[in-house]
C-alpha cells in the first residue's frame, strides 16, 4: 500500500490533507466577504473531458483504471517531485507558512490519493527557477502550465484542466480600452518565462518589456508609476490586488489570449503522463466542485451560481473586467485600508530609492568634492599623509606619489613648524597662518584648518589649507597705503594749520584795516560835519540864503557818507563773525519811545503822522538794546523815506510767544517780484530808485543779519502803490517781566 | 566862574572845532596834544570835565584815563571819550578804562553841548563855582 505523504521541502508533515492552514483561508475569505469581489478571485475552469469510471484493481483508491504496466511504473517510482509556481494564487502558491496551496495542490492531493503516489514538493523562488531546475532534470512534475512548443520539448502535457485569460492592468486614469497592439511605446511589465512573456516576445518583438520574476513586484511597479502596464494572468493578478490593496490598478483591456493549463510530467517518463491523464479523467464533478468551492466562494450571491458554475466555464471577459473595475471602485472601506497600505508602500519604496541613490552617489560625490576643492587637502594618520587632492599639487608642487607617506612637518617652514605642530596636536581647528614649504624649497604663506571627519571606519584626520600669498600682499599693500596716507594727512594737516594761521593773520589785518579806515574817514568827516554845523548855526556870522542852501547840501552829503561808512563797517563785522550782540535786560517800551521820539522830527517835516501802539505786557526784554533800536530806527527811517502822504505806525505786542514789532506805512510799497530780494545787500541800488531815495542799500540786510544773531526774524507784507508793513520778531523765552 | 574843560586831542582841526563850540557856549578850554601833557594839565588845573581822544601818540586814551583815575585828586572829574574808534567793544573798553561817557566822532554840533551837559550836573557846577 502506498501512503500519500505530501512533503514540503524536506519536512514530512503528519497532516497531509490540511494543506491549507486556517490563516491562509482567512485571506481569501476576507476578500470574498464582499460579494462583488468574488469576481476578483474568479477563475475560469475549463473541463475538457467527461469522466468515466474504471473498475480494475489498482493502487490507490481504485478509482483510476490503470493498466498493469502503469501499476508497475508507479511501484517503480514511489516518489515524484513537483515544483509549483510559487506565486500563482489561487491556482498554486505557497501560503504564509510556506505550505503548498491552491487549486492545483488540492488536485494533486486528490490525484495522489487516487493513484497512491507520494509527492515531494520543491519550493523554488520563481517560475524561472522552476524552469531552470526542470531543465537540469530535478523536477518531475508541474501542476499548472500552458503547453508551448519549447516546453513540449522538456515536458509532456496532459489535456488542459483549467484556463485563464491574460489581461492588461494599468494605473487608474492613465489608459483604457487597451489591447496588446496599443502597448507600443509604453513600459510594459512581463513575467520571466511565463507563457504570456513568450507570446509577447514572439508577437510583439519591439515591445518595451520590463521583465520581473514575481507578480506582486510587477503590480507594484505599475501602481507606483515605475511602469505603465502589466500583461498578466487575470486570476493571480486579481488575488494580489485584493491582498496588497493596490487600489489604483484597473484592468484596461484584454490581451485576447486565454491560456489553458495542464499538468506536465518529465519527458523521459511517458507512463506518468498517461497515468495522470487517466486520474484527471476520473475526477468526478462532485470532487471538482469541492475543490472549486473551497477556493471560490460563490454562495454569497456571486455572479455565477453554484448550480450553474460547472457549466458556465467561460464568461465574457469584458464583463469580468468591468466587474473588477466596479468592485474596486465601490468598496470604500476596503479602499481606505488598502489606500493606507499603498501609501505606506509607496513611501517605503521612495525612501528606499532615495537611500539607494544617495548611497550610490555619496561616495562619488565625496570624491568629486575632494578632487575639485580649491583648498589643498591632506588626509593623514598621526601626521603621515595618506591621501591628497590636486589642489595640493597646485599649491605645494608635490605629486601624490611624492607627498603620500611624508610627515606633515616636511611641508612646514622650520620657522613656524614647532608652534604649528603643537597646535595641530592640541586639536585646535584653526584657522591659523603658517609658512609652508613647496617642493622646490620656496616658501608660501598658508592658512590652515584642521578637521576630523567621521567616516564609516575610523575617524579621518584632514588638514585643509590655502595659499594666502595674495592676501598677504594685499595686507602689505594696505599697510603701505595706510602709512602713506597717514604721512599725507600729517603733511596736509600741517599745511592747513599754516594756511589757517595765515588766514587768521589776514583776518586780523582786515580788522585792523577796517578800524583804521573807520578812524581815518571819521576824522576828516568830523571836521566837515562839525564846521558845517557851526556855520549853519550862524555861530560864525549870518549866512545868506544861497550860503545856507549850499552848506545844507554839504552837511547832507557828509551825513550820507557817514551812514555809508557805518553800514559798510557793520556788514564787514557781521560777515567776519566779529559782530557780537550783547544779551542784557533792557526796557523795550522805553527803547521804542526813544526811537520814535528821535525820528519824529523827520516825519513832521514831511507832514506824516507817526503813531505808536505798545501792548501793556511789553516791558523788559533781554537782548541787545542798541541793535534793537538800530533796527527799529532803520525801519522807521525807510518808512518815512518812502512815504509822501499818510501815516507811519509802530506796533509792539506779544504774538505766538514772541515779541513782534511792526512798522506800517502808506508809501510806495514794493513790487511782488522785488519782495524776495528786499533783504539782500545793495538791493535798493539795484532796483534803480536810488536817485530818488538816498540810502546805502545795506540797511535791511543788516537788520536781517542782526535779527538772525538775536534769534529773531524779519519779513515784509506789501502792496505796490499802497504801502508796506515790515515786521520783526524776537524770542521772548528769557525775556519780558 | 566859567566851567573849565580840558581837551586832550592831537588833531588840530578837531581840537579847534571842539574848542570853538565850547568857548561859544561859555566854557573855558584848556588843551593838550598828547596824553602826558594832558595828565599834567589836568593835575594842575583840575578841570570840570575832560574830553579825551582815544587814538593819541605815545600813550593812548585808555592809558591816559587809567592814570587820571589813579590820581585821587582827579577821581571825581568826569572823563568823556570822544573817538572815531567805532569797532565792537570800543565803548566798553573806554568805560572800563575809567571814562564816564563816550561820544562817537564825528560830533554833531547841534547836540554836542547837550551831550556834555549830562556829565556836568548842576550841583557839580555849583560846587565847582564855589571853590
Amino acid at each position: 500500500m502506498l501512503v500519500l505523504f505530501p512533503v514540503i521541502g524536506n519536512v514530512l508533515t503528519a497532516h497531509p490533507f490540511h494543506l491549507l492552514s486556517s490563516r491562509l483561508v482567512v485571506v481569501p475569505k476576507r476578500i470574498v466577504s464582499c460579494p462583488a469581489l468574488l469576481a476578483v478571485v474568479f477563475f475560469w475552469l475549463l473541463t475538457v473531458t467527461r469522466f468515466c469510471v474504471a473498475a480494475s484493481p489498482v493502487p490507490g483508491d481504485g478509482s483510476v483504471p490503470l493498466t498493469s504496466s502503469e501499476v508497475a511504473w508507479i511501484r517503480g517510482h514511489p516518489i515524484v517531485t513537483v515544483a509549483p509556481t510559487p506565486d500563482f494564487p489561487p491556482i498554486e502558491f505557497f501560503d504564509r507558512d510556506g505550505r503548498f496551496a491552491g487549486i492545483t495542490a488540492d488536485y494533486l492531493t486528490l490525484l495522489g490519493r487516487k493513484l497512491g503516489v507520494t509527492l515531494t514538493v520543491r519550493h523554488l523562488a520563481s517560475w524561472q527557477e522552476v524552469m531552470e531546475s526542470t531543465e537540469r532534470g530535478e523536477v518531475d512534475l508541474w501542476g499548472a502550465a500552458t503547453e508551448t512548443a519549447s516546453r513540449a520539448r522538456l515536458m509532456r502535457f496532459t489535456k488542459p484542466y483549467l484556463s485563464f485569460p491574460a489581461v492588461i492592468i494599468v494605473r487608474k486614469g492613465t489608459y483604457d480600452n487597451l489591447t496588446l497592439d496599443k502597448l507600443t511605446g509604453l513600459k510594459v511589465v512581463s513575467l520571466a518565462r511565463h507563457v504570456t512573456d513568450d507570446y509577447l516576445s514572439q508577437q510583439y518583438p519591439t515591445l518595451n518589456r520590463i521583465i520581473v520574476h514575481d507578480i506582486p513586484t510587477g503590480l507594484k511597479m505599475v501602481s507606483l508609476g515605475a511602469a505603465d502596464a502589466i500583461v498578466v494572468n487575470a486570476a493571480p493578478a486579481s488575488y494580489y490586488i485584493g491582498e496588497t490593496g493596490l487600489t489604483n490598478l484597473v484592468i484596461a483591456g484584454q490581451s485576447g489570449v486565454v491560456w489553458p493549463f495542464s499538468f506536465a510530467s518529465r519527458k523521459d517518463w511517458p507512463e506518468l503522463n498517461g497515468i495522470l491523464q487517466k486520474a484527471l479523467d476520473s475526477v468526478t464533478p462532485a470532487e471538482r466542485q469541492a475543490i472549486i468551492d473551497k477556493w471560490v466562494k460563490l454562495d454569497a450571491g456571486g455572479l455565477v451560481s453554484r448550480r450553474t458554475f460547472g457549466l458556465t466555464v467561460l464568461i465574457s471577459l469584458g464583463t469580468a473586467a468591468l466587474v473588477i473595475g466596479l468592485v474596486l471602485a465601490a468598496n470604500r472601506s476596503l479602499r481606505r485600508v488598502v489606500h493606507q497600505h499603498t501609501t505606506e508602500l509607496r513611501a517605503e519604496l521612495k525612501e528606499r530609492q532615495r537611500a539607494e541613490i544617495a548611497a550610490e552617489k555619496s561616495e562619488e560625490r565625496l570624491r568629486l568634492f575632494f578632487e575639485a576643492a580649491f583648498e589643498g587637502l591632506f588626509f593623514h594618520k598621526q601626521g603621515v599623509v595618506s591621501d591628497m587632492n590636486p589642489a595640493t599639487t597646485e599649491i605645494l608642487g608635490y605629486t601624490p606619489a611624492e607627498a603620500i607617506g611624508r610627515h606633515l612637518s616636511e611641508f612646514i617652514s622650520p620657522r613656524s613648524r614647532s608652534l604649528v605642530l603643537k597646535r595641530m596636536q592640541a586639536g585646535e581647528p584653526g584657522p591659523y597662518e603658517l609658512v609652508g614649504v613647496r617642493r622646490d624649497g620656496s616658501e608660501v604663506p598658508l592658512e590652515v584648518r584642521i578637521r576630523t571627519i567621521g567616516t564609516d571606519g575610523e575617524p579621518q584626520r584632514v588638514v585643509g589649507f590655502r595659499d594666502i600669498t595674495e592676501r598677504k600682499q594685499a595686507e602689505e599693500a594696505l599697510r603701505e597705503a595706510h602709512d602713506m596716507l597717514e604721512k599725507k594727512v600729517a603733511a596736509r594737516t600741517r599745511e592747513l594749520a599754516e594756511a589757517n594761521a595765515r588766514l587768521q593773520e589776514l583776518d586780523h589785518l582786515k580788522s585792523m584795516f577796517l578800524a583804521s579806515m573807520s578812524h581815518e574817514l571819521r576824522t576828516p568827516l568830523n571836521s566837515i560835519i562839525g564846521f558845517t554845523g557851526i556855520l549853519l548855526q550862524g555861530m560864525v556870522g549870518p549866512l545868506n540864503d544861497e550860503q545856507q542852501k549850499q552848506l545844507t547840501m554839504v552837511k547832507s552829503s557828509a551825513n550820507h557818507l557817514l551812514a555809508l561808512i557805518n553800514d559798510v563797517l557793520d556788514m564787514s563785522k557781521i560777515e567776519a563773525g566779529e559782530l557780537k550782540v550783547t544779551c542784557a535786560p533792557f526796557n523795550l517800551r522805553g527803547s521804542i519811545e526813544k526811537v520814535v521820539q528821535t525820528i519824529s522830527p523827520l516825519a513832521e517835516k514831511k507832514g506824516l503822522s507817526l503813531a505808536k501802539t505798545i501792548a501793556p505786557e511789553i516791558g523788559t526784554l533781554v537782548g541787545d538794546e542798541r541793535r534793537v533800536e538800530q533796527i527799529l530806527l532803520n525801519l522807521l527811517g525807510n518808512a518815512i523815506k518812502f512815504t509822501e502822504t499818510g501815516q507811519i505806525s509802530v506796533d509792539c505786542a506779544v504774538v505766538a510767544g514772541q515779541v513782534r514789532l511792526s512798522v506800517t506805512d502808506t508809501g510806495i510799497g514794493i513790487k511782488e517780484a522785488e519782495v524776495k530780494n528786499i533783504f539782500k545787500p545793495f538791493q535798493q541800488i539795484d532796483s534803480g530808485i536810488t536817485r530818488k531815495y538816498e540810502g546805502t542799500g545795506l540797511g535791511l540786510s543788516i537788520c536781517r543779519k542782526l535779527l538772525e544773531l538775536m534769534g529773531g526774524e524779519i519779513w515784509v507784507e506789501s502792496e505796490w502803490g499802497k504801502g508796506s508793513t515790515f515786521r520783526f520778531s524776537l524770542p521772548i523765552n528769557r525775556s519780558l517781566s | 566862574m566859567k566851567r573849565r574843560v580840558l581837551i586832550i586831542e592831537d588833531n588840530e582841526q578837531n581840537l579847534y572845532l571842539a574848542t570853538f563850540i565850547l568857548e561859544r557856549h561859555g566854557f573855558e578850554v584848556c588843551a593838550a596834544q598828547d596824553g602826558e601833557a594832558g595828565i599834567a594839565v589836568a593835575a594842575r588845573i583840575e578841570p570840570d570835565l575832560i574830553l579825551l581822544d582815544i587814538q593819541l601818540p605815545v600813550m593812548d586814551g585808555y592809558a591816559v584815563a587809567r592814570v587820571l583815575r589813579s590820581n585821587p585828586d582827579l577821581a571825581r572829574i568826569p572823563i568823556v571819550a570822544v573817538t572815531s574808534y567805532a569797532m565792537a567793544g570800543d565803548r566798553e573798553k573806554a568805560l572800563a578804562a575809567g571814562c564816564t561817557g563816550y561820544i562817537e566822532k564825528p560830533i554833531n554840533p547841534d547836540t554836542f553841548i547837550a551831550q556834555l551837559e549830562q556829565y556836568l550836573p548842576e550841583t557839580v557846577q555849583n560846587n565847582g563855582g564855589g571853590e
Side-chain angles (χ1 to χ4, degrees):
Chain A
M1 246 331 248
L2 287 174
V3 180
L4 184 71
F5 281 113
V7 180
I8 298 165
N10 296 323
V11 182
L12 288 171
T13 171
H15 307 283
F17 303 114
H18 294 107
L19 287 165
L20 294 171
S21 73
S22 58
R23 279 178 61 197
L24 181 69
V25 175
V26 167
V27 176
K29 265 187 183 167
R30 193 182 64 202
I31 294 156
V32 168
S33 66
C34 174
L37 265 180
L38 288 169
V40 177
V41 291
F42 181 74
F43 63 94
W44 284 261
L45 178 66
L46 180 64
T47 51
V48 291
T49 55
R50 301 302 298 167
F51 297 97
C52 53
V53 178
S56 57
V58 287
D61 63 6
S63 61
V64 182
L66 298 171
T67 63
S68 56
S69 63
E70 286 168 341
V71 169
W73 188 93
I74 290 170
R75 287 182 177 151
H77 298 83
I79 294 171
V80 175
T81 301
V82 62
T85 319
D87 56 345
F88 216 59
I91 298 135
E92 56 175 6
F93 63 107
F94 289 91
D95 68 18
R96 293 179 181 189
D97 295 325
R99 279 182 287 214
F100 179 34
I103 296 165
T104 302
D106 287 2
Y107 256 91
L108 285 174
T109 304
L110 178 63
L111 298 187
R113 195 177 70 228
K114 282 174 182 284
L115 298 171
V117 172
T118 303
L119 293 173
T120 301
V121 179
R122 288 198 56 164
H123 186 168
L124 299 171
S126 66
W127 173 244
Q128 168 137 0
E129 283 195 18
V130 171
M131 291 286 284
E132 286 165 3
S133 185
T134 305
E135 281 157 0
R136 291 193 297 271
E138 296 162 3
V139 175
D140 305 327
L141 183 64
W142 294 345
T146 299
E147 184 172 0
T148 64
S150 63
R151 289 172 180 178
R153 285 193 290 276
L154 195 62
M155 299 290 266
R156 209 180 291 271
F157 286 77
T158 67
K159 292 174 186 166
Y161 67 98
L162 296 167
S163 80
F164 303 97
V167 292
I168 304 163
I169 293 175
V170 298
R171 277 187 311 288
K172 220 179 265 177
T174 55
Y175 305 96
D176 57 46
N177 293 326
L178 285 179
T179 61
L180 295 183
D181 299 319
K182 294 180 184 168
L183 293 179
T184 310
L186 303 186
K187 287 187 276 183
V188 180
V189 177
S190 188
L191 287 135
R193 303 199 70 168
H194 277 228
V195 64
T196 306
D197 190 54
D198 292 346
Y199 178 78
L200 290 176
S201 67
Q202 283 162 21
Q203 301 295 319
Y204 301 93
T206 59
L207 195 64
N208 178 15
R209 279 149 54 236
I210 302 167
I211 306 301
V212 298
H213 295 278
D214 65 282
I215 294 170
T217 298
L219 292 171
K220 277 184 200 171
M221 284 178 71
V222 176
S223 175
L224 299 176
D228 299 313
I230 179 168
V231 183
V232 66
N233 191 299
S238 300
Y239 182 94
Y240 279 123
I241 287 170
E243 177 149 281
T244 55
L246 301 172
T247 49
N248 69 335
L249 297 179
V250 290
I251 293 175
Q254 300 300 323
S255 66
V257 289
V258 178
W259 303 118
F261 288 84
S262 306
F263 289 105
S265 54
R266 54 192 300 165
K267 197 86 175 180
D268 52 352
W269 289 357
E271 297 87 353
L272 180 56
N273 188 55
I275 292 165
L276 283 171
Q277 187 61 60
K278 276 186 180 177
L280 204 54
D281 290 346
S282 77
V283 174
T284 66
E287 286 168 336
R288 187 175 66 247
Q289 194 63 56
I291 295 171
I292 300 306
D293 283 356
K294 187 168 151 192
W295 292 100
V296 185
K297 306 294 184 187
L298 292 172
D299 53 352
L303 293 169
V304 183
S305 74
R306 181 199 297 263
R307 189 162 47 79
T308 57
F309 179 76
L311 302 172
T312 320
V313 290
L314 282 167
I315 290 178
S316 156
L317 303 178
T319 306
L322 182 64
V323 169
I324 290 169
L326 286 173
V327 164
L328 291 174
N331 192 335
R332 288 187 185 173
S333 63
L334 179 64
R335 191 191 294 170
R336 268 203 301 278
V337 174
V338 296
H339 177 72
Q340 188 187 349
H341 198 159
T342 309
T343 308
E344 287 166 8
L345 278 171
R346 192 173 293 159
E348 190 191 325
L349 186 75
K350 274 190 181 162
E351 185 50 45
R352 200 173 293 171
Q353 283 172 341
R354 248 200 311 272
E356 278 172 15
I357 291 167
E360 280 170 17
K361 287 194 173 174
S362 80
E363 195 170 341
E364 183 195 353
R365 201 177 290 163
L366 271 176
R367 172 49 59 175
L368 282 172
F369 281 142
F370 184 61
E371 300 289 341
F374 297 111
E375 285 201 351
L377 292 169
F378 275 135
F379 279 83
H380 71 94
K381 282 172 187 152
Q382 270 98 44
V384 178
V385 174
S386 59
D387 198 1
M388 58 170 265
N389 67 345
T392 301
T393 309
E394 268 178 51
I395 297 169
L396 295 177
Y398 288 94
T399 63
E402 291 163 338
I404 290 170
R406 285 180 192 247
H407 194 269
L408 287 175
S409 60
E410 295 181 54
F411 307 107
I412 304 169
S413 159
R415 283 194 280 151
S416 46
R417 192 177 289 159
S418 63
L419 181 70
V420 168
L421 288 177
K422 206 176 285 172
R423 297 180 74 171
M424 280 182 169
Q425 277 159 6
E428 286 181 36
Y432 35 90
E433 293 181 5
L434 58 85
V435 180
V437 182
R438 292 201 188 91
R439 186 172 172 276
D440 61 10
S442 61
E443 295 191 328
V444 54
L446 300 174
E447 184 185 79
V448 174
R449 285 180 172 80
I450 292 178
R451 294 285 184 277
T452 300
I453 304 176
T455 54
D456 289 343
E458 61 191 294
Q460 288 275 345
R461 303 277 281 172
V462 187
V463 177
F465 57 95
R466 70 174 85 164
D467 183 345
I468 54 169
T469 304
E470 283 178 23
R471 193 173 85 191
K472 285 286 176 195
Q473 283 167 352
E475 282 172 5
E476 187 54 38
L478 197 66
R479 202 164 24 244
E480 280 171 16
H482 179 78
D483 291 349
M484 201 162 76
L485 198 65
E486 289 224 317
K487 277 178 200 157
K488 274 190 179 170
V489 167
R492 193 87 187 108
T493 306
R494 262 196 314 279
E495 284 170 22
L496 282 172
E498 284 165 14
N500 195 33
R502 276 201 302 275
L503 275 177
Q504 279 179 355
E505 198 181 327
L506 283 172
D507 204 47
H508 180 66
L509 282 172
K510 192 184 90 172
S511 294
M512 295 277 286
F513 168 75
L514 285 171
S516 165
M517 189 194 78
S518 169
H519 177 77
E520 299 303 335
L521 290 177
R522 277 162 196 271
T523 304
L525 263 180
N526 195 40
S527 291
I528 297 168
I529 292 170
F531 289 117
T532 314
I534 290 166
L535 289 171
L536 283 170
Q537 278 176 6
M539 258 186 242
V540 183
L543 299 174
N544 64 32
D545 287 353
E546 190 55 34
Q547 287 168 331
Q548 180 82 28
K549 185 182 170 185
Q550 289 181 9
L551 278 173
T552 304
M553 285 177 177
V554 173
K555 192 186 176 192
S556 171
S557 289
N559 280 333
H560 186 213
L561 184 57
L562 179 62
L564 207 57
I565 291 164
N566 285 339
D567 283 356
V568 169
L569 215 62
D570 273 354
M571 274 311 277
S572 304
K573 282 189 271 188
I574 288 166
E575 277 167 10
E578 210 173 83
L579 191 143
K580 301 283 190 295
V581 293
T582 60
C583 192
F586 70 97
N587 186 347
L588 179 58
R589 180 181 292 273
S591 286
I592 296 167
E593 284 169 349
K594 189 165 80 190
V595 172
V596 169
Q597 200 184 344
T598 307
I599 205 84
S600 58
L602 280 178
E604 278 165 31
K605 215 163 140 188
K606 287 186 84 171
L608 303 168
S609 66
L610 181 55
K612 65 169 191 291
T613 312
I614 303 172
E617 68 266 24
I618 299 299
T620 303
L621 186 74
V622 178
D624 190 324
E625 180 180 13
R626 216 172 120 231
R627 295 303 183 180
V628 172
E629 287 174 8
Q630 183 183 345
I631 293 163
L632 190 56
L633 197 63
N634 192 290
L635 294 181
L636 279 168
N638 282 345
I640 292 165
K641 196 194 297 180
F642 295 106
T643 305
E644 298 307 324
T645 56
Q647 69 162 21
I648 315 294
S649 59
V650 182
D651 290 280
C652 184
V654 174
V655 179
Q658 291 189 314
V659 171
R660 182 176 294 175
L661 278 124
S662 309
V663 176
T664 305
D665 64 52
T666 53
I668 58 169
I670 305 158
K671 285 178 183 164
E672 207 179 322
E674 290 168 359
V675 167
K676 61 179 190 296
N677 292 322
I678 199 83
F679 295 105
K680 292 181 181 171
F682 304 110
Q683 198 55 42
Q684 194 213 325
I685 291 167
D686 288 349
S687 70
I689 55 175
T690 319
R691 296 287 70 85
K692 188 174 176 188
Y693 305 98
E694 287 188 342
T696 62
L698 288 169
L700 286 175
S701 95
I702 290 168
C703 287
R704 189 179 65 171
K705 300 250 180 191
L706 289 174
L707 281 163
E708 280 170 11
L709 288 170
M710 290 188 278
E713 49 184 340
I714 185 167
W715 66 102
V716 64
E717 295 148 21
S718 184
E719 198 175 337
W720 175 245
K722 292 199 172 175
S724 307
T725 300
F726 282 84
R727 300 183 199 280
F728 66 95
S729 63
L730 286 163
I732 200 175
N733 50 347
R734 38 175 196 173
S735 63
L736 211 70
S737 61
Chain B
M1 193 180 175
K2 279 187 178 178
R3 287 171 296 178
R4 197 181 290 165
V5 177
L6 169 63
I7 304 176
I8 307 171
E9 166 70 83
D10 67 325
N11 182 289
E12 279 183 30
Q13 287 186 16
N14 285 340
L15 178 59
Y16 182 81
L17 176 66
T19 306
F20 185 88
I21 295 170
L22 286 167
E23 284 180 346
R24 282 301 166 109
H25 283 88
F27 289 91
E28 183 184 331
V29 178
C30 297
Q33 295 216 342
D34 62 62
E36 251 176 77
I39 292 163
V41 173
R44 183 160 46 84
I45 66 169
E46 294 190 15
D48 298 302
L49 181 73
I50 299 170
L51 292 182
L52 176 64
D53 188 16
I54 296 298
Q55 201 192 40
L56 292 169
V58 187
M59 187 182 192
D60 72 12
Y62 304 126
V64 174
R66 281 191 287 270
V67 172
L68 291 173
R69 281 285 172 261
S70 67
N71 182 343
D73 295 339
L74 307 178
R76 58 169 184 88
I77 302 173
I79 304 169
V80 176
V82 181
T83 174
S84 49
Y85 271 83
M87 301 304 285
D90 285 353
R91 176 195 296 266
E92 289 70 24
K93 271 164 81 177
L95 297 180
C99 295
T100 318
Y102 178 93
I103 296 174
E104 238 176 61
K105 282 184 190 170
I107 59 169
N108 183 348
D110 296 342
T111 58
F112 185 63
I113 297 300
Q115 280 174 307
L116 296 185
E117 287 288 359
Q118 58 181 310
Y119 301 111
L120 285 168
E122 288 301 315
T123 50
V124 173
Q125 185 193 331
N126 290 342
N127 288 347
E131 265 183 83

